[in-house]
Amino acid sequence: MTLFFTIATTNYLPFAVSLIDSAKQQHPEFEVCICLTDYLTPDAIAKNKLMRKYPILQLHELQAEEFGFITQNYNPMQLANSSKILFARHFLDKKEIDQVIFGDSDMLFFGRLPENVINEHEIILTPHFSSPPPVEMKRQELEVLNAGLYNGGFFKLKKSAQVDAFINWHRERSVLDCIYDFKRGYYGEQLWLNFIPLYFKNAHVEQNTGLNVAYWNLHERTISQKEGIFMVNGTTPLSFFHFSGWDYNHPLNISKWTLFTPEMRPDVKPLLEEYHKVLKANEYEHYIKMSNYYTANNQSQKKSFFKKLKKKLLKK
């Protein structure tokens, strides 16, 4: 069995449901789960229309040894990124699950995944991009040098001894130190991914241009439609777009971090319009202001938090 999962807090539930809707449309054979890095009572879930749509697994249900630290110290982004590997471990421990595929909640499927991604390889990553941007956009390269060659928003893990070793290695390094400090070489869980092709020989870097299309690789990818199917560079079907940095209130802007204006990239407009449409239908405006149970009053709200973490790291 292949299980596709995403991670969200309650206020990001419309994103997660929109993603799972699109994944199930393209892959009805997948089992799916929304992993909630938040806390809701069973009664609250039962009364929540969106949460009744797909299986929900809450962070506390994992009974992970890191639970206390991450819920007491991390902001919502850190909580989501540090827990990816914990949820993956939980699912792969189940006899009936052969492999897991993870996608960040701010993605939307427009086509199926390539068959080799589904059926081959034990570990699959996608690079941020695989060809150089023009020199006037070298900022893209500098950002990737800081944030990592591979995007942590999508991966596949297939049950194996190598994947067990990978999970153990990654968990030891990223869960309790999921901080963002470029000067000390930290960018959440993502920079560690640079080592994966070196340490784990069966890992595969998938360079299909229809995967993980986002603001960071638009210099090498253009969008078009052919007989109602979105294509990348006119040749490759678009599997999914990653709307990182996109703003619901300014839906035609590609990302707050991109160098491309809407006028420069009208080819992306249909994707942006579709994303706004599905989020609106899944009650974005109702959910987005909801607070996170763990992070509303934890240590991440205190300015001294990162100083404490730095002191902890310096002692190591």
Side-chain angles (χ1 to χ4, degrees):
M1 175 202 302
T2 297
L3 181 126
F4 180 87
F5 75 100
T6 191
I7 296 175
T9 49
T10 303
N11 67 323
Y12 261 55
L13 190 60
F15 291 86
V17 170
S18 297
L19 169 60
I20 299 294
D21 283 344
S22 67
K24 286 294 286 184
Q25 183 178 4
Q26 300 297 332
H27 289 281
E29 75 276 17
F30 286 176
E31 296 297 319
V32 296
C33 186
I34 295 174
C35 299
L36 199 67
T37 49
D38 212 334
Y39 175 77
L40 291 176
T41 65
D43 184 58
I45 292 175
K47 293 178 180 178
N48 188 302
K49 184 176 71 174
L50 285 188
M51 287 196 174
R52 294 198 306 269
K53 194 168 186 180
Y54 297 112
I56 294 283
L57 179 66
Q58 296 194 70
L59 183 59
H60 72 273
E61 296 179 82
L62 301 184
Q63 298 184 334
E65 62 186 44
E66 301 94 339
F67 175 80
F69 180 84
I70 65 178
T71 55
Q72 292 167 20
N73 292 291
Y74 284 169
N75 63 34
M77 182 170 72
Q78 291 172 295
L79 198 56
N81 288 336
S82 67
S83 64
K84 292 175 187 177
I85 206 71
L86 302 179
F87 282 110
R89 174 75 282 162
H90 173 84
F91 290 130
L92 288 173
D93 282 341
K94 294 185 176 295
K95 183 178 180 180
E96 66 273 19
I97 296 176
D98 301 308
Q99 60 182 12
V100 295
I101 298 175
F102 170 80
D104 272 351
S105 60
D106 57 348
M107 293 176 170
L108 202 69
F109 277 80
F110 293 91
R112 285 182 61 84
L113 292 170
E115 290 304 310
N116 72 299
V117 171
I118 301 170
N119 298 319
E120 301 174 17
H121 313 296
E122 295 177 9
I123 301 172
I124 294 181
L125 302 171
T126 55
H128 280 105
F129 47 81
S130 52
S131 63
V135 67
E136 63 269 20
M137 295 183 68
K138 67 179 181 181
R139 194 190 84 183
Q140 295 290 95
E141 291 175 317
L142 293 172
E143 288 178 354
V144 165
L145 288 174
N146 276 321
L149 298 177
Y150 310 108
N151 181 250
F154 176 82
F155 60 77
K156 170 190 155 176
L157 300 175
K158 185 176 182 179
K159 191 176 290 184
S160 69
Q162 179 179 239
V163 166
D164 287 341
F166 159 69
I167 289 175
N168 292 337
W169 168 81
H170 199 265
R171 182 173 182 171
E172 290 173 347
R173 286 156 178 78
S174 69
V175 177
L176 296 182
D177 291 320
C178 192
I179 59 177
Y180 294 81
D181 186 344
F182 287 140
K183 291 182 179 179
R184 292 192 56 78
Y186 284 88
Y187 189 75
E189 89 297 355
Q190 193 165 267
L191 272 171
W192 296 106
L193 303 181
N194 287 350
F195 290 113
I196 291 178
L198 300 174
Y199 292 171
F200 305 97
K201 302 307 179 185
N202 293 333
H204 174 70
V205 178
E206 179 55 57
Q207 298 193 47
N208 183 300
T209 55
L211 299 182
N212 222 351
V213 183
Y215 79 87
W216 51 71
N217 53 40
L218 288 180
H219 69 274
E220 64 180 12
R221 307 182 196 190
T222 57
I223 308 298
S224 60
Q225 290 190 62
K226 182 179 181 180
E227 298 179 355
I229 298 173
F230 285 107
M231 306 293 291
V232 179
N233 297 338
T235 58
T236 305
L238 171 64
S239 291
F240 63 90
F241 194 94
H242 194 160
F243 294 86
S244 179
W246 178 83
D247 185 348
Y248 178 89
N249 296 311
H250 301 280
L252 297 185
N253 291 339
I254 298 168
S255 170
K256 62 184 177 183
W257 296 306
T258 188
L259 297 174
F260 290 106
T261 65
E263 293 75 23
M264 294 167 67
R265 296 303 302 265
D267 57 311
V268 184
K269 183 179 178 180
L271 307 182
L272 303 173
E273 291 177 330
E274 176 65 15
Y275 199 45
H276 188 268
K277 176 184 174 182
V278 298
L279 284 175
K280 185 177 181 65
N282 281 321
E283 303 180 77
Y284 168 94
E285 293 167 17
H286 170 71
Y287 284 92
I288 193 60
K289 293 182 181 180
M290 292 184 177
S291 62
N292 180 276
Y293 177 85
Y294 297 117
T295 66
N297 297 296
N298 71 5
Q299 294 293 322
S300 69
Q301 304 303 310
K302 298 180 180 180
K303 293 182 180 179
S304 61
F305 169 61
F306 284 101
K307 291 182 180 179
K308 290 180 181 179
L309 276 183
K310 287 180 180 180
K311 288 181 180 179
K312 178 170 90 74
L313 289 169
L314 289 170
K315 291 179 181 179
K316 292 183 178 180

